[in-house]
Amino acid sequence: MRGLLFLVSLGLVAAEDGLDGWLRYAPVPCDKGCHDALPSSVVALNSTETSPVYVAGLELQKGLQGIFGKWANVGHENCGDSSSSVVVGTVDEYTKACGSSTDDEVPELEEDGFWLSTRGDMVRILGQNERGALYGAFEYLSMLAQGNFSRVAYATNPHAPVRWVNQWDNLDGSIERGYGGASIFFENGVVVDDLTRAAQYARLLASVRVNGVVVNNVNANASILSPRNIEGLGRIADVFRPYGVQLGVSLNFASPMTLGGLSTFDPLNASVIAWWTNITDQIYQRIPDMAGYLVKADSEGQPGPFTYNRTLAQGANLFAKALQPHGGIVMFRAFVYNQLNESDWKADRASAAVQFFKDLDGQFDENVVVQIKYGPIDFQVREPTSPLFAHLQNTSTAIELEVTQEYLGQQCHLVYLPPLWKTVLDFDLRVDSKLSLVRDIISGKRFNRPLGGWAAVVNVGTNTTWLGSHLAMSNLYAYGRLAWDPTEDPQSMLQDWIRLTFGLDRSVLDTVTQMSMESWPAYENYSGNLGIQTLTDILYTHFGPNPASQDNNGWGQWTRADQKTIGMDRTVSNGTGFSGQYPPEIAAMYENIDTTPDDLLLWFHHVNYTHRLHSGKTVIQHFYDAHYRGAETAQTFVTMWESLRDRIDAERWTDVHFRLTYQAGHSIIWRDAITTFYHNLSSVPDEADRVGNHNHPWRIEAESMTLTGYKPYPITPFETASNATAIVTTSNSTIGTATTRLTQFPSGTYDLAINYYDLVGGRARWEIFLNNRLLGQWVGNNEDRLGHAPSVYIDGHSATRITFRGVHVRRGDVLTVVGIPDGIEPAPVDYVALLPEGVVD
Ligand code: GCW
């Protein structure tokens, strides 16, 4: 019985459903010597249960128990036993309780900073404030959980004061661009009763030193400020507070009118000012430590000061003044742009942020932070650094990143993001010809600003994996780490995360490292290359391929691709002039095609498909090759993961395996769609003869099979089906059969891949037979398992692949696919591929 209890307490029998993220405290080998050296008691120098120091004490207890099976009592009264205790508290609390000054040991700490010492008898974790002490406790536990027993003594301080996350949660419980289930905060217009998940989220965030969460969507509903919802927000803040996490609120600019019943929301109107002052005071009455507001104004249909011919600065300062007495800040989004006309060669959405904000520099109140997306358009797979960072020298700024993979595979593709983020954070804008790294601008260092920092759109949901995918959590983890110290190395942060998430096994470490580090380049390769942007459907889901959707609309995410040429001319000399928004050295680099790096060529220049890159390849051949290479890399993720089968618990292994298999299939859909599209448009042949001419010797097009109850169906966009055609059942209640005799394939063992479409609005079934023997069957239920934005169409979002491995086939065997439609899903099939081992079709 004791043994069982011990196992339970170790967490060995706990479900590995992802809920604890990287805070699992899984057992680590520790011999007797190691065990004896561990602290046997914890002293948390604050006895108030809601204080972060108290929480740190409990966390240390839980960690020691989980990692080593060692029970440590937590005391609060005195300085503890000088030997074998771990003491956690603020520097002040420590000095008081322990009667000793820390002056000669602990350097001056900045807000939220901490000092950790495992030297000497006692482990000491001292924060500049309570939050810092909690961060230190998590740091110590992270070392132990990774089997790191080294003796250390160091102080660490944050890169910037603002280290927030944004949630785009709607009050009805849905989440805009969220792929991990429903909101953990809201439901039916109000805050949920049970805030357990909110507290668990705060715990995860605190462990990576995130100090603020804006809980509702920037496309804000004014009723977030109803009395009932203010009370609800108060309850959320109450569960955040013990973790040192502050709550922020997104506002709807028109609230005084829509919620308050005023006849105006003019930011200079006295009644409007009074309304905001009053509501802000009410919030602070309930939430004295509220972090502040986040505002999206005059953007994508959101109301703002332009309605009254007021400036964005006047709009921002309205909130700044209401918050100022309470110490709150306004995060004011720079994502402001208008719809444009593509027939205007000089029109450019990328120029909008600088155009709107440049002249406002210096007009924002001191507690305003302008929150700037990393690139000038919108979270694409590659963008140049937003030039706005160079223009706001008398305004505090923050960078906005996306942990949620809106344009990057929506957590159904593995994409480890820090290497992408680093392209911007480490970018030197050369303001006044001086070193001007973006990371030094947002920290306030470069322009001597008192505020600044970080925001990441995260969008966790009720799924136990938080983001919808276990592997995607490395992005949340690394975001927090980078916001604390942007000089951290993406790979070493990743490896900490791997050890904490999957344990210390060397092959797990090496394999997940390799997959993750290869994942962003692979995704860029099979989505959009050379700075052309993610070639996804921008009008609908932002998920699967649809390059044509970029152009011929007002959204300004144009490629300007025609039969001969592609790319946006953003030069000053002949284009939109966007390159001239950078400081001179950078502007000159991008203005000149010879000095523009290949990976941003099509962002800045409009060229022939046959233009030669620095690499020596033509643009179009680069497209072809990159897409084949990217999809090939994605296939290897599956085999790499399979090598870890016995090294990872079945629950997480199976879940991740399903997603990686899906990604491998979808990467081929991406590859084929994009290469086919540009081959069709440009008519430039692929030097390797893969693209066009339906050159897929291992495929059998479904429409070429003998069909009963199935009919050929042309697909839009055409490039999202092999040969532009799939088959669908002749009605929603007719069972379809597609049959073929395998005369063209030599006898042997094959992987049998079937490309089909899985729409929302139905769970069709498919069965596959070889000579009347059932080989396999599946259900079109990805909508229950994947979480990406769904599609009701047969297109690049719903296109998917299933593979049956190791199928023995003799020449002349008969292959039959049976499709049983359901709802609106007419059991669509694109093609079947018989793949000899190692062949990617
Ligand atoms: O990228 C776009 C998203 C919108 C989002 C907007 C924004 C919240 O597609 O869903 O709206 O950006 O950042 O405001």
Side-chain angles (χ1 to χ4, degrees):
M1 189 60 193
R2 274 202 68 133
L4 180 66
L5 278 179
F6 179 68
L7 285 183
V8 171
S9 69
L10 273 180
L12 279 182
V13 290
E16 288 283 14
D17 56 8
L19 198 57
D20 284 324
W22 53 83
L23 297 177
R24 294 157 57 247
Y25 303 140
V28 156
C30 175
D31 60 17
K32 181 150 187 329
C34 146
H35 206 265
D36 290 346
L38 291 169
S40 48
S41 67
V42 175
V43 179
L45 296 170
N46 191 327
S47 58
T48 309
E49 290 187 12
T50 50
S51 79
V53 164
Y54 188 93
V55 169
L58 294 183
E59 200 66 39
L60 287 163
Q61 181 180 56
K62 184 174 177 172
L64 289 167
Q65 194 193 8
I67 305 167
F68 306 109
K70 177 149 187 165
W71 178 258
N73 281 318
V74 185
H76 307 282
E77 293 320 318
N78 46 40
C79 184
D81 206 347
S82 66
S83 67
S84 83
S85 300
V86 45
V87 179
V88 60
T90 64
V91 172
D92 288 350
E93 285 163 348
Y94 180 81
T95 317
K96 246 185 247 147
C98 304
S100 52
S101 153
T102 55
D103 289 355
D104 45 352
E105 273 184 303
V106 184
E108 192 71 26
L109 296 170
E110 290 164 29
E111 196 174 337
D112 296 353
F114 65 87
W115 181 73
L116 167 66
S117 167
T118 58
R119 297 218 176 113
D121 291 336
M122 227 170 24
V123 174
R124 284 171 298 164
I125 303 170
L126 306 184
Q128 185 270 352
N129 54 17
E130 295 245 336
R131 186 190 280 148
L134 176 60
Y135 294 170
F138 277 119
E139 170 99 334
Y140 175 56
L141 287 167
S142 165
M143 285 177 65
L144 296 181
Q146 296 182 62
N148 176 353
F149 302 106
S150 52
R151 299 279 176 175
V152 296
Y154 60 85
T156 173
N157 291 302
H159 164 259
V162 179
R163 303 180 306 279
W164 290 16
V165 297
N166 295 173
Q167 287 278 137
W168 288 350
D169 295 32
N170 298 314
L171 302 190
D172 67 3
S174 61
I175 304 180
E176 184 159 350
R177 314 298 175 188
Y179 314 107
S183 172
I184 61 172
F185 298 115
F186 305 104
E187 190 177 54
N188 300 324
V190 293
V191 175
V192 295
D193 290 329
D194 180 357
L195 289 169
T196 312
R197 288 294 298 270
Q200 288 167 335
Y201 188 31
R203 174 176 175 248
L204 281 173
L205 293 174
S207 75
V208 289
R209 308 170 199 173
V210 167
N211 59 4
V213 184
V214 178
V215 291
N216 63 313
N217 192 352
V218 285
N219 292 327
N221 185 327
S223 65
I224 188 74
L225 301 177
S226 72
R228 183 165 175 199
N229 278 333
I230 291 179
E231 171 51 30
L233 291 171
R235 287 192 294 110
I236 300 177
D238 291 344
V239 306
F240 281 177
R241 193 168 296 112
Y243 293 96
V245 174
Q246 288 173 267
L247 174 124
V249 187
S250 290
L251 299 180
N252 183 301
F253 204 90
S255 305
M257 197 171 191
T258 47
L259 183 72
L262 303 187
S263 58
T264 173
F265 56 91
D266 178 352
L268 299 192
N269 178 287
S271 64
V272 170
I273 294 170
W275 192 87
W276 282 115
T277 309
N278 176 42
I279 204 95
T280 304
D281 293 347
Q282 282 177 38
I283 297 175
Y284 275 95
Q285 226 159 52
R286 178 63 181 83
I287 313 171
D289 57 352
M290 209 256 303
Y293 293 141
L294 172 63
V295 182
K296 172 177 178 177
D298 287 311
S299 162
E300 300 187 330
Q302 293 300 306
F306 291 166
T307 308
Y308 301 95
N309 287 323
R310 309 301 186 196
T311 69
L312 292 166
Q314 287 170 322
N317 294 343
L318 168 69
F319 308 110
K321 292 199 163 57
L323 289 163
Q324 199 275 333
H326 306 282
I329 64 175
V330 192
M331 302 293 283
F332 196 80
R333 293 181 93 226
F335 186 62
V336 181
Y337 66 97
N338 293 324
Q339 291 270 322
L340 299 167
N341 189 341
E342 192 169 357
S343 63
D344 177 359
W345 184 252
K346 297 206 179 282
D348 193 354
R349 170 169 159 190
S351 304
V354 169
Q355 282 163 0
F356 280 113
F357 281 85
K358 182 168 73 89
D359 295 337
L360 301 177
D361 189 29
Q363 296 179 28
F364 292 96
D365 284 1
E366 283 294 289
N367 59 335
V368 174
V369 177
V370 174
Q371 180 169 317
I372 306 170
K373 290 189 183 184
Y374 61 81
I377 296 270
D378 198 12
F379 303 129
Q380 299 300 299
V381 68
R382 190 183 288 271
E383 294 192 42
T385 299
S386 169
L388 186 57
F389 290 112
H391 289 273
L392 299 182
Q393 305 183 7
N394 299 298
T395 305
S396 298
T397 55
I399 192 167
E400 181 173 313
L401 305 171
E402 248 188 351
V403 164
T404 191
Q405 295 168 228
E406 177 184 355
Y407 287 93
L408 293 140
Q410 305 189 350
Q411 281 92 291
C412 300
H413 291 234
L414 168 65
V415 184
Y416 179 57
L417 297 165
L420 157 63
W421 297 337
K422 290 284 262 182
T423 63
V424 173
L425 294 165
D426 294 347
F427 191 78
D428 180 1
L429 279 160
R430 307 297 306 159
V431 179
D432 298 329
S433 296
K434 284 199 208 113
L435 184 72
S436 307
L437 304 176
V438 170
R439 59 174 200 249
D440 292 338
I441 294 173
I442 58 172
S443 68
K445 186 172 151 198
R446 174 65 180 83
F447 300 128
N448 286 317
R449 299 295 312 163
L451 263 180
W454 304 67
V457 183
V458 177
N459 294 350
V460 298
T462 50
N463 192 296
T464 61
T465 63
W466 296 97
L467 286 167
S469 143
H470 293 289
L471 295 188
M473 288 291 271
S474 57
N475 289 321
L476 180 55
Y477 176 83
Y479 165 68
R481 292 274 304 262
L482 274 180
W484 186 267
D485 178 3
T487 64
E488 288 239 43
D489 172 47
Q491 178 161 320
S492 77
M493 294 186 297
L494 170 71
Q495 295 199 320
D496 287 347
W497 174 81
I498 295 169
R499 282 184 288 259
L500 294 169
T501 303
F502 292 112
L504 306 183
D505 185 298
R506 187 77 222 182
S507 6
V508 173
L509 183 73
D510 292 344
T511 308
V512 180
T513 300
Q514 190 187 339
M515 290 163 54
S516 303
M517 293 307 290
E518 288 177 0
S519 62
W520 171 53
Y523 188 84
E524 181 181 37
N525 277 340
Y526 63 73
S527 60
N529 322 119
L530 305 175
I532 195 67
Q533 307 168 90
T534 310
L535 294 168
T536 184
D537 191 319
I538 66 151
L539 303 174
Y540 184 35
T541 64
H542 299 187
F543 182 61
N546 186 357
S549 72
Q550 319 283 126
D551 291 281
N552 302 312
N553 58 55
W555 291 102
Q557 294 183 220
W558 306 321
T559 68
R560 292 198 185 278
D562 60 22
Q563 291 180 346
K564 293 262 170 270
T565 55
I566 185 168
M568 282 288 288
D569 187 336
R570 292 189 155 108
T571 61
V572 174
S573 54
N574 185 51
T576 70
F578 167 78
S579 65
Q581 289 189 342
Y582 290 92
E585 287 176 50
I586 306 299
M589 170 176 74
Y590 290 141
E591 181 73 16
N592 183 342
I593 199 162
D594 295 329
T595 51
T596 303
D598 282 350
D599 55 26
L600 285 171
L601 177 79
L602 301 179
W603 186 282
F604 285 104
H605 300 281
H606 183 74
V607 299
N608 287 325
Y609 290 109
T610 51
H611 172 85
R612 271 201 197 277
L613 303 167
H614 300 302
S615 72
K617 281 187 189 175
T618 63
V619 165
I620 190 74
Q621 194 59 42
H622 179 96
F623 267 44
Y624 296 152
D625 291 350
H627 278 81
Y628 273 81
R629 199 169 59 244
E632 208 169 301
T633 305
Q635 312 307 306
T636 67
F637 296 165
V638 179
T639 32
M640 280 194 254
W641 187 254
E642 284 173 349
S643 74
L644 305 179
R645 184 174 225 135
D646 301 327
R647 296 167 188 272
I648 288 175
D649 54 283
E651 192 171 358
R652 288 186 297 174
W653 188 89
T654 308
D655 201 77
V656 171
H657 185 253
F658 176 73
R659 275 170 193 270
L660 293 172
T661 306
Y662 171 82
Q663 175 180 7
H666 203 227
S667 71
I668 290 179
I669 288 145
W670 263 102
R671 178 199 76 186
D672 290 353
I674 302 300
T675 55
T676 304
F677 180 86
Y678 288 103
H679 178 267
N680 184 65
L681 188 63
S682 70
S683 308
V684 182
D686 168 23
E687 285 165 11
D689 202 24
R690 297 155 299 194
V691 184
N693 315 320
H694 312 303
N695 197 0
H696 293 291
W698 306 105
R699 285 186 190 173
I700 307 161
E701 293 296 338
E703 64 274 19
S704 71
M705 296 166 80
T706 306
L707 307 179
T708 328
Y710 259 133
K711 61 178 183 197
Y713 187 80
I715 301 301
T716 315
F718 75 94
E719 70 274 12
T720 58
S722 189
N723 194 33
T725 315
I727 58 170
V728 296
T729 53
T730 51
S731 85
N732 283 7
S733 54
T734 310
I735 295 181
T737 309
T739 303
T740 189
R741 190 174 282 281
L742 303 172
T743 47
Q744 70 274 51
F745 298 97
S747 302
T749 303
Y750 294 88
D751 287 343
L752 177 63
I754 299 110
N755 271 54
Y756 67 105
Y757 298 84
D758 191 335
L759 331 181
V760 276
R763 289 174 184 79
R765 285 186 294 125
W766 290 261
E767 293 166 349
I768 186 140
F769 296 88
L770 194 63
N771 300 333
N772 296 324
R773 186 171 59 84
L774 184 68
L775 272 183
Q777 51 191 324
W778 71 97
V779 181
N781 61 355
N782 276 350
E783 61 268 44
D784 305 326
R785 307 181 69 183
L786 281 175
H788 65 75
S791 172
V792 294
Y793 303 112
I794 303 177
D795 58 17
H797 321 298
S798 57
T800 184
R801 162 178 285 208
I802 189 165
T803 304
F804 298 95
R805 313 272 281 267
V807 177
H808 301 292
V809 172
R810 271 169 314 153
R811 195 187 285 277
D813 280 353
V814 174
L815 185 77
T816 304
V817 182
V818 175
I820 303 134
D822 180 61
I824 62 156
E825 193 166 71
V829 179
D830 185 5
Y831 63 87
V832 173
L834 281 169
L835 303 169
E837 210 194 320
V839 169
V840 183
D841 55 323

PDB file of all heavy atoms in Angstrom, residues 666-678:
ATOM      1  N   HIS A 666      -0.321  16.473 -45.102  1.00  0.00           N
ATOM      2  CA  HIS A 666      -0.740  17.816 -45.499  1.00  0.00           C
ATOM      3  C   HIS A 666       0.411  18.580 -46.148  1.00  0.00           C
ATOM      4  O   HIS A 666       0.192  19.441 -46.999  1.00  0.00           O
ATOM      5  CB  HIS A 666      -1.289  18.570 -44.281  1.00  0.00           C
ATOM      6  CG  HIS A 666      -2.227  19.687 -44.645  1.00  0.00           C
ATOM      7  ND1 HIS A 666      -2.138  20.940 -44.109  1.00  0.00           N
ATOM      8  CD2 HIS A 666      -3.276  19.741 -45.513  1.00  0.00           C
ATOM      9  CE1 HIS A 666      -3.084  21.721 -44.621  1.00  0.00           C
ATOM     10  NE2 HIS A 666      -3.793  21.007 -45.471  1.00  0.00           N
ATOM     11  N   SER A 667       1.631  18.250 -45.778  1.00  0.00           N
ATOM     12  CA  SER A 667       2.767  18.927 -46.414  1.00  0.00           C
ATOM     13  C   SER A 667       2.834  18.553 -47.898  1.00  0.00           C
ATOM     14  O   SER A 667       3.252  19.367 -48.729  1.00  0.00           O
ATOM     15  CB  SER A 667       4.074  18.583 -45.705  1.00  0.00           C
ATOM     16  OG  SER A 667       4.454  17.245 -45.964  1.00  0.00           O
ATOM     17  N   ILE A 668       2.422  17.348 -48.227  1.00  0.00           N
ATOM     18  CA  ILE A 668       2.402  16.943 -49.647  1.00  0.00           C
ATOM     19  C   ILE A 668       1.286  17.681 -50.373  1.00  0.00           C
ATOM     20  O   ILE A 668       1.443  18.111 -51.523  1.00  0.00           O
ATOM     21  CB  ILE A 668       2.257  15.410 -49.750  1.00  0.00           C
ATOM     22  CG1 ILE A 668       3.558  14.772 -49.266  1.00  0.00           C
ATOM     23  CG2 ILE A 668       1.921  14.983 -51.175  1.00  0.00           C
ATOM     24  CD1 ILE A 668       3.573  13.272 -49.288  1.00  0.00           C
ATOM     25  N   ILE A 669       0.178  17.881 -49.678  1.00  0.00           N
ATOM     26  CA  ILE A 669      -0.916  18.657 -50.283  1.00  0.00           C
ATOM     27  C   ILE A 669      -0.453  20.092 -50.543  1.00  0.00           C
ATOM     28  O   ILE A 669      -0.683  20.647 -51.619  1.00  0.00           O
ATOM     29  CB  ILE A 669      -2.155  18.586 -49.374  1.00  0.00           C
ATOM     30  CG1 ILE A 669      -2.743  17.176 -49.478  1.00  0.00           C
ATOM     31  CG2 ILE A 669      -3.188  19.642 -49.756  1.00  0.00           C
ATOM     32  CD1 ILE A 669      -3.337  16.628 -48.226  1.00  0.00           C
ATOM     33  N   TRP A 670       0.226  20.666 -49.582  1.00  0.00           N
ATOM     34  CA  TRP A 670       0.800  22.010 -49.750  1.00  0.00           C
ATOM     35  C   TRP A 670       1.766  22.041 -50.933  1.00  0.00           C
ATOM     36  O   TRP A 670       1.700  22.896 -51.803  1.00  0.00           O
ATOM     37  CB  TRP A 670       1.581  22.409 -48.486  1.00  0.00           C
ATOM     38  CG  TRP A 670       0.833  23.260 -47.521  1.00  0.00           C
ATOM     39  CD1 TRP A 670       0.250  22.856 -46.357  1.00  0.00           C
ATOM     40  CD2 TRP A 670       0.613  24.682 -47.611  1.00  0.00           C
ATOM     41  NE1 TRP A 670      -0.316  23.940 -45.725  1.00  0.00           N
ATOM     42  CE2 TRP A 670      -0.114  25.065 -46.463  1.00  0.00           C
ATOM     43  CE3 TRP A 670       0.971  25.658 -48.542  1.00  0.00           C
ATOM     44  CZ2 TRP A 670      -0.490  26.381 -46.227  1.00  0.00           C
ATOM     45  CZ3 TRP A 670       0.587  26.973 -48.311  1.00  0.00           C
ATOM     46  CH2 TRP A 670      -0.140  27.321 -47.157  1.00  0.00           C
ATOM     47  N   ARG A 671       2.676  21.097 -50.909  1.00  0.00           N
ATOM     48  CA  ARG A 671       3.708  21.039 -51.948  1.00  0.00           C
ATOM     49  C   ARG A 671       3.067  20.979 -53.329  1.00  0.00           C
ATOM     50  O   ARG A 671       3.403  21.763 -54.223  1.00  0.00           O
ATOM     51  CB  ARG A 671       4.564  19.783 -51.710  1.00  0.00           C
ATOM     52  CG  ARG A 671       5.639  19.544 -52.712  1.00  0.00           C
ATOM     53  CD  ARG A 671       6.103  18.098 -52.690  1.00  0.00           C
ATOM     54  NE  ARG A 671       5.132  17.220 -53.341  1.00  0.00           N
ATOM     55  CZ  ARG A 671       5.207  15.888 -53.369  1.00  0.00           C
ATOM     56  NH1 ARG A 671       6.191  15.267 -52.750  1.00  0.00           N
ATOM     57  NH2 ARG A 671       4.286  15.177 -53.995  1.00  0.00           N
ATOM     58  N   ASP A 672       2.143  20.049 -53.482  1.00  0.00           N
ATOM     59  CA  ASP A 672       1.542  19.853 -54.811  1.00  0.00           C
ATOM     60  C   ASP A 672       0.715  21.068 -55.217  1.00  0.00           C
ATOM     61  O   ASP A 672       0.717  21.465 -56.379  1.00  0.00           O
ATOM     62  CB  ASP A 672       0.670  18.597 -54.817  1.00  0.00           C
ATOM     63  CG  ASP A 672       1.507  17.335 -54.731  1.00  0.00           C
ATOM     64  OD1 ASP A 672       2.745  17.443 -54.804  1.00  0.00           O
ATOM     65  OD2 ASP A 672       0.929  16.244 -54.577  1.00  0.00           O
ATOM     66  N   ALA A 673       0.010  21.647 -54.254  1.00  0.00           N
ATOM     67  CA  ALA A 673      -0.853  22.784 -54.591  1.00  0.00           C
ATOM     68  C   ALA A 673      -0.013  23.961 -55.068  1.00  0.00           C
ATOM     69  O   ALA A 673      -0.280  24.557 -56.114  1.00  0.00           O
ATOM     70  CB  ALA A 673      -1.691  23.184 -53.382  1.00  0.00           C
ATOM     71  N   ILE A 674       1.022  24.291 -54.327  1.00  0.00           N
ATOM     72  CA  ILE A 674       1.790  25.496 -54.661  1.00  0.00           C
ATOM     73  C   ILE A 674       2.608  25.284 -55.932  1.00  0.00           C
ATOM     74  O   ILE A 674       2.639  26.152 -56.822  1.00  0.00           O
ATOM     75  CB  ILE A 674       2.709  25.902 -53.478  1.00  0.00           C
ATOM     76  CG1 ILE A 674       1.878  26.141 -52.209  1.00  0.00           C
ATOM     77  CG2 ILE A 674       3.534  27.133 -53.840  1.00  0.00           C
ATOM     78  CD1 ILE A 674       0.828  27.217 -52.310  1.00  0.00           C
ATOM     79  N   THR A 675       3.241  24.136 -56.054  1.00  0.00           N
ATOM     80  CA  THR A 675       4.048  23.927 -57.265  1.00  0.00           C
ATOM     81  C   THR A 675       3.144  23.839 -58.495  1.00  0.00           C
ATOM     82  O   THR A 675       3.468  24.411 -59.545  1.00  0.00           O
ATOM     83  CB  THR A 675       4.925  22.658 -57.152  1.00  0.00           C
ATOM     84  OG1 THR A 675       4.089  21.537 -56.851  1.00  0.00           O
ATOM     85  CG2 THR A 675       5.984  22.816 -56.086  1.00  0.00           C
ATOM     86  N   THR A 676       2.010  23.184 -58.362  1.00  0.00           N
ATOM     87  CA  THR A 676       1.089  23.080 -59.503  1.00  0.00           C
ATOM     88  C   THR A 676       0.566  24.456 -59.897  1.00  0.00           C
ATOM     89  O   THR A 676       0.488  24.806 -61.075  1.00  0.00           O
ATOM     90  CB  THR A 676      -0.107  22.174 -59.141  1.00  0.00           C
ATOM     91  OG1 THR A 676       0.390  20.931 -58.721  1.00  0.00           O
ATOM     92  CG2 THR A 676      -1.037  21.983 -60.326  1.00  0.00           C
ATOM     93  N   PHE A 677       0.225  25.234 -58.899  1.00  0.00           N
ATOM     94  CA  PHE A 677      -0.333  26.566 -59.161  1.00  0.00           C
ATOM     95  C   PHE A 677       0.657  27.411 -59.963  1.00  0.00           C
ATOM     96  O   PHE A 677       0.305  28.000 -60.989  1.00  0.00           O
ATOM     97  CB  PHE A 677      -0.671  27.254 -57.837  1.00  0.00           C
ATOM     98  CG  PHE A 677      -1.250  28.624 -57.998  1.00  0.00           C
ATOM     99  CD1 PHE A 677      -2.615  28.798 -58.204  1.00  0.00           C
ATOM    100  CD2 PHE A 677      -0.436  29.749 -57.951  1.00  0.00           C
ATOM    101  CE1 PHE A 677      -3.157  30.073 -58.356  1.00  0.00           C
ATOM    102  CE2 PHE A 677      -0.977  31.026 -58.109  1.00  0.00           C
ATOM    103  CZ  PHE A 677      -2.340  31.185 -58.310  1.00  0.00           C
ATOM    104  N   TYR A 678       1.892  27.473 -59.508  1.00  0.00           N
ATOM    105  CA  TYR A 678       2.858  28.352 -60.191  1.00  0.00           C
ATOM    106  C   TYR A 678       3.362  27.743 -61.501  1.00  0.00           C
ATOM    107  O   TYR A 678       3.721  28.471 -62.428  1.00  0.00           O
ATOM    108  CB  TYR A 678       3.998  28.752 -59.249  1.00  0.00           C
ATOM    109  CG  TYR A 678       3.493  29.724 -58.206  1.00  0.00           C
ATOM    110  CD1 TYR A 678       3.230  29.317 -56.910  1.00  0.00           C
ATOM    111  CD2 TYR A 678       3.191  31.044 -58.559  1.00  0.00           C
ATOM    112  CE1 TYR A 678       2.701  30.202 -55.970  1.00  0.00           C
ATOM    113  CE2 TYR A 678       2.665  31.928 -57.625  1.00  0.00           C
ATOM    114  CZ  TYR A 678       2.423  31.500 -56.332  1.00  0.00           C
ATOM    115  OH  TYR A 678       1.892  32.376 -55.419  1.00  0.00           O
TER     116      TYR A 678
END
